[in-house]
Amino acid sequence: MVLGIESSCDETGAGIVRDGKLLAHVVASSMEEHAIFGGVVPEIAARAHLQAFNPVVQEALDRAGLRLGQIDAVAVTTGPGLSGALQVGLSGAKALAYAAGVPLYGVHHLAGHVAADTLEHGPLPTPCVVLIVSGGHTSLLLVRDLVREPIRHLGDTLDDAAGECFDKVARIMGLSYPGGPAIDRAAREGNPRAVDFPRPLTRPGDDPYAFSFSGLKTAAARWVEKHRAQGLDLPVADGAAALQEAVADVLTRKALAACEAYDVKTLIVVGGVAANSRVRGLAEQRCAAAGVELRVPPMTLCTDNGAMIAAVGDLLVRSGAEPAPLDVSIDPSAPLEYASLTPLSASPARAA
C-alpha cells in the first residue's frame, strides 16, 4: 500500500496505489492564484502546498478507507520542479513516513508521468516508446523496465517545451492562463489550415527525434503583431487551430518515426499536453494507420498528481529497490535517467 506525494509545481497531489491498482487520487491546484500573474509564481506555489498538504493526504486516506498506519511505503517527487514546492512535499513525505514507520522512496517526476499510464492500462509493454509533453518538458523515450533499467532518451526539446509554447502564444493572443486548455477551446471554432505555421526540425537532415518550439512561438507572435500593426481583427480561433495543428503534427510525426525505427508496437503519450484534443486525435489517426497501439492515460492522470508518484513507488517496492536514505534531498533540475531519484543533502561534511 503506497502513498504518493506530488508537489513539483502548482498541484498538491496525493494518491494511493496497491499492486498496480489505484485506490485514491486527490489533487488541489493553486492555478487560479497564479492566473492573475500569467504564470506560476514559485513562492505562491510553495505556500499553497503548505496549506493543502494535510487536507489532500487526509482526503486520499479517507477515500481509500485507510489510516496512515495501514500504509506500507511513502513515495515523493524529489525532482525536477520548483525548489520550494519540492521541499514542502519532501518534508511532508518524510514526516508521514517517520510517523508510520515505513520506508520512503524518491521518485523522478517524469517517470511518474510514464507510470500514470499503468494505472489505466496495466504494465508497460517491453519495449515501448513514450512521448512526454507538458508545460516544462517534451521528451521522446525508449522504455524497457521502468524501475530496473535506465531510461533511454531518443530526443528532447532544445528550447521551449510544447506546453510552454501554448502558454506563451495564448498570452500573446489575449487568451487565459493556462494556455494549453485555452488554445484547445479556441481552436474548436478555427481552421487549422488558415495559417501556415512552421514545423520545426522536420526537414531532411534535422535530428529526427529532437524538438524545438521556440521558432513556432516566434512565428505565432509575428502573425499576431502583423494583424495588430495593420489594425486588423485577430482571428484568434484560426490562429489557435493552426498552432495546435503544428504542435500535434510535429509531436506525432516524430513519435511514430521512433516507433518505426525501433520496431516498437506501442506508443504511450503522457503529460499535461496529452490532454490536448488534437494531440490525442492525430495520435489516434497516425497510430491506427501505422498499426501501433496508442495508450494515453485519462485526462485526470495526465496533469501532475500523486497517483502517478504512488505508481512508481509501488513498482519500486515490488522490484525490491532500496528505499531513500534519511538525508534524501531534492534536485530541481534532475535529468531523467532512472525512475528512482534520491539526491543527497549537501551537508558541510559531504561538501568538504
Side-chain angles (χ1 to χ4, degrees):
M1 200 85 71
V2 180
L3 170 64
I5 303 295
E6 157 62 24
S7 69
S8 65
C9 191
D10 60 342
E11 281 104 1
T12 310
I16 299 175
V17 171
R18 178 180 61 196
D19 295 332
K21 304 298 180 184
L22 180 61
L23 303 184
H25 163 43
V26 179
V27 176
S29 175
S30 58
M31 188 176 296
E32 290 185 3
E33 298 177 64
H34 303 287
I36 59 176
F37 300 101
V40 176
V41 181
E43 179 63 21
I44 291 176
R47 291 179 181 274
H49 289 307
L50 281 169
Q51 295 171 350
F53 187 92
N54 286 340
V56 164
V57 170
Q58 188 58 57
E59 185 175 347
L61 290 169
D62 291 344
R63 289 188 184 183
L66 298 170
R67 301 182 309 277
L68 181 60
Q70 294 174 282
I71 295 296
D72 298 306
V74 177
V76 61
T77 302
T78 48
L82 303 175
S83 179
L86 289 168
Q87 289 284 14
V88 173
L90 177 58
S91 297
K94 283 183 175 182
L96 291 171
Y98 181 80
V102 298
L104 177 70
Y105 292 84
V107 172
H108 195 289
H109 175 79
L110 296 183
H113 277 301
V114 178
D117 183 73
T118 67
L119 300 176
E120 178 71 11
H121 300 115
L124 298 175
T126 302
C128 59
V129 168
V130 178
L131 175 64
I132 299 179
V133 274
S134 67
H137 305 276
T138 302
S139 296
L140 198 54
L141 313 172
L142 184 65
V143 177
R144 299 187 185 278
D145 189 313
L146 180 63
V147 297
R148 290 187 175 92
E149 297 185 31
I151 296 165
R152 181 177 176 185
H153 286 246
L154 303 179
D156 297 282
T157 186
L158 304 178
D159 40 60
D160 289 357
E164 185 179 2
C165 177
F166 280 149
D167 283 341
K168 291 179 177 178
V169 175
R171 187 170 187 175
I172 294 168
M173 290 182 175
L175 297 174
S176 61
Y177 176 84
I183 291 285
D184 204 350
R185 288 191 299 269
R188 295 170 191 165
E189 306 299 324
N191 177 4
R193 292 178 293 278
V195 189
D196 186 22
F197 284 137
R199 270 56 170 172
L201 294 183
T202 57
R203 296 173 300 181
D206 289 338
D207 187 323
Y209 310 127
F211 300 94
S212 170
F213 293 103
S214 179
L216 176 58
K217 173 197 65 182
T218 301
R222 287 177 177 168
W223 176 79
V224 171
E225 291 168 0
K226 179 179 178 181
H227 278 77
R228 290 176 176 162
Q230 296 176 355
L232 302 173
D233 290 337
L234 184 67
V236 173
D238 286 345
L243 177 75
Q244 184 171 262
E245 187 69 22
V247 171
D249 182 22
V250 171
L251 291 174
T252 57
R253 189 188 306 190
K254 288 176 176 283
L256 267 298
C259 289
E260 181 180 3
Y262 289 90
D263 194 25
V264 172
K265 298 303 181 184
T266 303
L267 171 64
I268 299 174
V269 184
V270 297
V273 179
N276 180 272
S277 62
R278 186 52 182 157
V279 171
R280 284 174 173 252
L282 193 55
E284 288 173 0
Q285 294 173 24
R286 289 181 169 174
C287 282
V292 172
E293 177 192 15
L294 174 66
R295 291 176 36 162
V296 186
M299 284 194 281
T300 56
L301 294 177
C302 285
T303 53
D304 295 349
N305 61 86
M308 68 186 197
I309 304 305
V312 177
D314 174 60
L315 291 172
L316 289 170
V317 170
R318 288 192 280 149
S319 71
E322 286 292 320
L326 293 177
D327 59 347
V328 63
S329 186
I330 61 166
D331 185 347
S333 58
L336 177 58
E337 298 173 341
Y338 293 91
S340 176
L341 178 63
T342 56
L344 300 180
S345 302
S347 65
R350 184 173 291 109

